[in-house]
Amino acid sequence: MNKSLLLVLSALVPLSVADEVKLKDGTVYKDCTVEVETPESISVMVVVSGGIKESKTIKRELIETITKASPAELAAAKIDKNYAKPETMNTKELEAALEELDAVIKKNPQGEVHDAAVKARATIVVLLEEKKLVEGAKAAQEAKEAAEVTVRTKYDHEAGKLLKRFKALNTARKPYQAMAVYDRLRQNYPGSAALAEAYPDAVRISAQVNRTLDVLIAAKEKSLERERQVLSQEEEKRRGNAKLTQEQRSALLDAFQKKQVAIRERENQLTEVHRAHRKKVRERGDRWFEPTAGSLEAMRDIKLVASTDAERLKNQEKETGAGSAALKKAWELCDEKKFDEAEEVLADIRSAQVPREYYEELRETVRVGLQEQRARERAERAEAARKIREDRDKKRQQEREAAKAKKKK
């Protein structure tokens, strides 16, 4: 048991069994504790009032008898004292108390200590079961409330995490990764407030990337064309130089061919790297990716995505976050028990293309709410009809009684 708790209990609850000192003048000190004994006197701790104790010194010649409690009585009294208020313990302390009492019972198979421990244990077992039931019910209720909150907020919460990632990548000037995140936001959370917030930046980024790729592709094509021109010029000079020997012409031709092969191998290597990267990107369901540096094919591939999205985002209607607004409104209507209106809002949620998983719980809540509402309405109509019948029957009875009274006159 918790030591601080034991100290509190010990201070509040006196021992039910203690020493007793009877004086010759008739004074009796019950429930006291003989602390120190000498041939001339004894020191006694007595209870004054309200659990307050004080020490008294009594001379031997004034004492008639001293009755001391047995060790078993003291041990039993200590158990009664320590476990006098088990309702103040928490679950952990009650479990620890059970272990201690079980050890006492095992050590004392019979006698006063055994009986006191068994009695205390029985009380603690009942309290522990009650506390566990209460705590279990509380935990279940908290879990239910947490699940409801999760259902209500999951759509915007998950979309919000993607929005945060999108903004971070945009701030870090990583437009390709940012647009990949926007793609996931658009695919998984259409109609969300997060998508509406990300939309303006997505329009700007896609257009900017599209223009940047135009420049990069043009520069790459120009660079390749320049390399080919330089090689062609070198080859023309070789052919037009009549002073070159056959061996010199052969060596220059080999060098020319090696340069051509080197250019092709470099481009082929860049293409292979790009295709491997593109495969991984497509396997995880993304369209946007950062092109491999220097790869013309990579730049052309992502240019198709960028130009398509730049045109689509520019011409489409502005994102409004209608799905988030509709979900919030529907849940609020459910809280207000306005299930007919909430059912109408479900159509708005569907038109906003909110994925089914995010409003199924809401739809079920509306369905159950409508059933309960209609059941109440039927009960109210039945009760109203019953009251009308009672009033009608009462009126007829009054009319009959009035007619009988009139005939008697």
Side-chain angles (χ1 to χ4, degrees):
M1 184 189 293
N2 189 297
K3 289 185 177 179
S4 61
L5 181 60
L6 278 176
L7 291 172
V8 171
L9 292 175
S10 299
L12 294 175
V13 185
L15 285 174
S16 60
V17 177
D19 301 333
E20 181 181 292
V21 177
K22 186 177 181 181
L23 304 185
K24 292 177 181 178
D25 63 2
T27 303
V28 179
Y29 294 108
K30 293 183 178 181
D31 299 332
C32 64
T33 305
V34 178
E35 295 180 313
V36 180
E37 293 187 64
T38 66
E40 293 80 19
S41 64
I42 64 170
S43 178
V44 182
M45 183 66 69
V46 298
V47 178
V48 179
S49 64
I52 300 173
K53 297 180 180 182
E54 68 175 9
S55 181
K56 286 182 174 291
T57 302
I58 306 172
K59 293 181 179 181
R60 285 281 185 181
E61 61 264 22
L62 300 177
I63 299 172
E64 182 175 329
T65 59
I66 298 175
T67 305
K68 291 188 177 181
S70 67
E73 288 175 331
L74 289 172
K78 186 177 181 181
I79 290 173
D80 291 339
K81 177 182 175 182
N82 289 342
Y83 301 103
K85 293 188 177 181
E87 64 275 4
T88 61
M89 302 181 193
N90 58 36
T91 302
K92 188 175 180 181
E93 290 168 341
L94 287 171
E95 290 174 344
L98 272 184
E99 291 181 5
E100 291 182 5
L101 289 170
D102 285 339
V104 171
I105 293 169
K106 185 177 180 181
K107 186 176 180 181
N108 301 273
Q110 58 184 0
E112 293 181 43
V113 178
H114 172 86
D115 294 344
V118 168
K119 181 182 176 182
R121 187 184 188 282
T123 304
I124 287 174
V125 166
V126 173
L127 279 173
L128 184 58
E129 289 178 354
E130 290 177 354
K131 281 186 180 288
K132 285 186 175 180
L133 286 174
V134 171
E135 289 175 0
K138 184 179 178 181
Q141 181 63 26
E142 289 175 352
K144 182 180 178 182
E145 291 173 359
E148 185 176 283
V149 170
T150 300
V151 168
R152 292 186 179 207
T153 60
K154 183 179 178 183
Y155 182 69
D156 281 331
H157 176 69
E158 298 297 324
K161 289 196 293 187
L162 283 178
L163 174 63
K164 186 176 180 181
R165 177 68 176 158
F166 172 79
K167 287 183 174 181
L169 289 168
N170 184 25
T171 302
R173 297 184 179 180
K174 296 182 178 180
Y176 301 99
Q177 294 92 325
M179 287 305 297
V181 172
Y182 180 81
D183 247 8
R184 290 197 289 275
L185 188 58
R186 180 175 59 85
Q187 292 165 7
N188 299 328
Y189 306 97
S192 66
L195 182 65
E197 188 173 342
Y199 171 77
D201 282 337
V203 174
R204 177 183 55 77
I205 293 170
S206 61
Q208 183 180 351
V209 169
N210 190 43
R211 292 192 297 271
T212 300
L213 287 169
D214 279 336
V215 174
L216 291 174
I217 290 171
K220 179 65 177 180
E221 289 175 341
K222 186 175 181 180
S223 175
L224 289 173
E225 181 61 27
R226 190 182 300 111
E227 284 184 312
R228 286 191 289 268
Q229 287 177 357
V230 169
L231 288 177
S232 297
Q233 289 172 1
E234 289 178 357
E235 177 61 11
E236 288 176 3
K237 287 181 181 180
R238 178 184 65 78
R239 290 177 180 177
N241 191 346
K243 296 180 179 180
L244 296 176
T245 63
Q246 186 62 30
E247 291 180 357
Q248 289 174 331
R249 289 179 186 278
S250 178
L252 289 173
L253 179 60
D254 289 343
F256 171 76
Q257 291 174 343
K258 286 180 181 179
K259 288 180 181 179
Q260 285 186 320
V261 170
I263 292 173
R264 284 196 300 270
E265 288 181 347
R266 182 192 66 201
E267 292 304 312
N268 289 338
Q269 186 176 8
L270 290 171
T271 299
E272 288 177 6
V273 171
H274 157 63
R275 288 177 179 175
H277 177 60
R278 182 180 61 187
K279 183 179 178 181
K280 290 181 180 178
V281 169
R282 288 178 176 174
E283 284 175 353
R284 65 173 182 253
D286 288 340
R287 296 161 55 252
W288 281 83
F289 57 88
E290 186 166 4
T292 304
S295 171
L296 183 59
E297 183 175 345
M299 288 185 284
R300 286 172 175 168
D301 280 351
I302 193 62
K303 175 67 169 62
L304 291 175
V305 177
S307 59
T308 300
D309 280 17
E311 187 68 19
R312 176 181 58 79
L313 290 170
K314 179 182 177 182
N315 296 327
Q316 78 174 44
E317 291 185 8
K318 185 179 179 181
E319 298 287 354
T320 62
S324 293
L327 279 171
K328 182 179 179 182
K329 182 179 179 181
W331 277 115
E332 289 175 349
L333 289 170
C334 286
D335 290 339
E336 297 169 7
K337 307 299 182 184
K338 298 178 181 178
F339 297 104
D340 290 316
E341 296 178 35
E343 189 175 34
E344 294 176 2
V345 178
L346 287 176
D348 296 334
I349 296 172
R350 191 61 179 163
S351 64
Q353 298 181 336
V354 174
R356 181 178 296 275
E357 62 182 300
Y358 296 105
Y359 75 89
E360 280 185 342
E361 186 72 18
L362 170 61
R363 185 173 60 181
E364 179 64 14
T365 301
V366 172
R367 185 188 68 79
V368 173
L370 284 172
Q371 284 182 345
E372 293 175 352
Q373 178 179 304
R374 286 162 187 164
R376 284 195 302 272
E377 290 172 353
R378 286 194 298 269
E380 289 170 359
R381 286 196 297 269
E383 178 63 20
R386 185 188 65 78
K387 190 173 182 182
I388 290 172
R389 287 194 302 270
E390 285 181 354
D391 291 344
R392 183 186 60 202
D393 293 343
K394 186 177 180 181
K395 185 177 180 181
R396 287 177 179 175
Q397 181 65 24
Q398 290 173 347
E399 289 174 351
R400 284 194 294 268
E401 290 176 355
K404 287 179 181 179
K406 189 175 181 180
K407 285 179 180 180
K408 288 179 180 180
K409 289 180 180 180

